[in-house]
């Protein structure tokens, strides 16, 4: 539950701890930028737990979607660092079209044909998890740290719905022990492996080499219909 700086995490993974952020002062709850791993240029997208707990809102969704489209246009592999508790709730977001704007990020990742590597560091909840280059959007390699929690929602919220009227504290503890870990997702194929933070750079570097010759065959058509 303690917030941390995702930029610091990214800097530990990339070459020379050098990460060049794009639009760092706009939609600070999402991080976008360029770096190198073993000399290869990559684009990086990551949730920022220090700002709004890393929730996705309208501005963050559009910022990340534009960046993903840019990387795809210029054939730059994408590394996605995930720690997202969900979409930002509120009538203001709803009235301004969070579903349509959030769908832009989903569409960008779904149509993206460059190598896509995803690392879940902590929370990966609900629809926000899906749009962050999940296996459902054809992520090439999806990893989870041992601290990852992949679920529809947090343990407390789920227990209050499922076990209403029962011992919430005890049921929350049981639910957390059973589901607040990456094992269930790994068993169902939603992540390819559970890796340690210290081995992340090595895994990503190896995967970039494997995916260098990636060819993604798509149906013949003029273009898709992005939710504008």
């Amino acid at each position: 539950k303690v917030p941390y700086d995702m930029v610091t995490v990214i800097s530990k993974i990339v070459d020379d701890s050098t990460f060049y952020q794009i639009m760092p002062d706009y939609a600070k709850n999402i991080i976008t930028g360029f770096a190198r791993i073993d000399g290869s240029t990559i684009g990086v997208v990551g949730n920022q737990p220090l700002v709004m707990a890393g929730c996705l809102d309208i501005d963050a969704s559009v910022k990340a979607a534009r960046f993903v489209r840019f990387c795809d246009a210029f054939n730059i592999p994408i590394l996605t660092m995930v720690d997202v508790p969900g979409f930002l709730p509120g009538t203001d977001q709803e009235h301004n079209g969070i579903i349509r704007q959030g769908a832009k990020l989903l569409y960008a990742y779904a149509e993206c044909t460059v190598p896509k590597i995803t690392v879940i560091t902590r929370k990966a909840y609900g629809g926000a998890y899906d749009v962050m280059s999940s296996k459902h959007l054809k992520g090439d390699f999806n990893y989870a740290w041992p601290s990852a929690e992949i679920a529809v929602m947090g343990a407390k919220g789920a227990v209050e719905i499922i076990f209403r009227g029962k011992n919430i504290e005890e049921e929350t503890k049981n639910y957390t022990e059973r589901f607040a870990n990456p094992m269930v997702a790994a068993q169902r194929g939603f992540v390819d492996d559970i890796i340690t933070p210290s081995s992340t750079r090595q895994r990503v570097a190896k995967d970039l080499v494997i995916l260098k010759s990636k060819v993604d065959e798509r149906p013949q058509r003029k273009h898709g219909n992005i939710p504008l």
Side-chain angles (χ1 to χ4, degrees), residues 18-71:
T18 303
F19 176 52
Y20 181 74
Q21 284 198 66
I22 302 297
M23 300 174 68
D25 296 322
Y26 178 77
K28 294 182 180 181
N29 47 321
I30 197 82
I31 299 165
T32 57
F34 296 104
R36 292 180 184 271
I37 291 185
D38 279 357
S40 299
T41 300
I42 61 169
V44 183
V45 179
N47 305 108
Q48 176 56 284
L50 289 179
V51 182
M52 294 162 49
C55 279
L56 286 176
D57 62 354
I58 290 173
D59 291 341
S61 298
V62 174
K63 173 183 173 180
R66 286 177 59 88
F67 183 76
V68 170
R69 299 279 287 181
F70 181 91
C71 290

Side-chain angles (χ1 to χ4, degrees), residues 77-179:
I78 301 172
L79 171 64
T80 306
M81 304 295 294
V82 181
D83 185 351
V84 60
F87 282 98
L88 184 69
T91 55
D92 181 63
Q93 291 288 306
E94 292 176 12
H95 292 162
N96 285 287
I98 181 61
I99 294 177
R100 176 168 52 86
Q101 304 295 346
K104 292 180 180 179
L105 180 55
L106 183 148
Y107 186 95
Y109 270 122
E111 194 177 61
C112 180
T113 60
V114 300
K116 294 179 285 188
I117 303 170
T118 305
V119 179
I120 301 170
T121 61
R122 192 167 57 175
K123 295 177 182 178
Y125 292 161
Y129 150 65
D130 282 332
V131 305
M132 291 295 292
S133 193
S134 66
K135 209 66 175 174
H136 315 294
L137 296 181
K138 296 185 177 180
D140 295 300
F141 289 100
N142 292 65
Y143 299 114
W145 286 1
S147 54
E149 301 176 17
I150 304 168
V152 175
M153 63 178 68
K156 185 177 180 181
V159 168
E160 288 177 350
I161 295 172
I162 299 171
F163 300 102
R164 182 177 298 175
K166 297 184 180 180
N167 190 332
I168 298 298
E169 186 175 341
E170 182 180 346
E171 295 296 345
T172 300
K173 182 180 178 181
N174 295 335
Y175 186 96
T176 301
E177 290 177 355
R178 185 175 179 184
F179 296 110

Side-chain angles (χ1 to χ4, degrees), residues 20 51 72 74 91 97-98 110 145 152 198 200 210 214 216 228:
Y20 181 74
V51 182
D72 190 41
F74 292 95
T91 55
I98 181 61
W145 286 1
V152 175
S198 60
T200 303
I210 295 172
K214 175 186 175 182
D216 196 345
L228 298 173

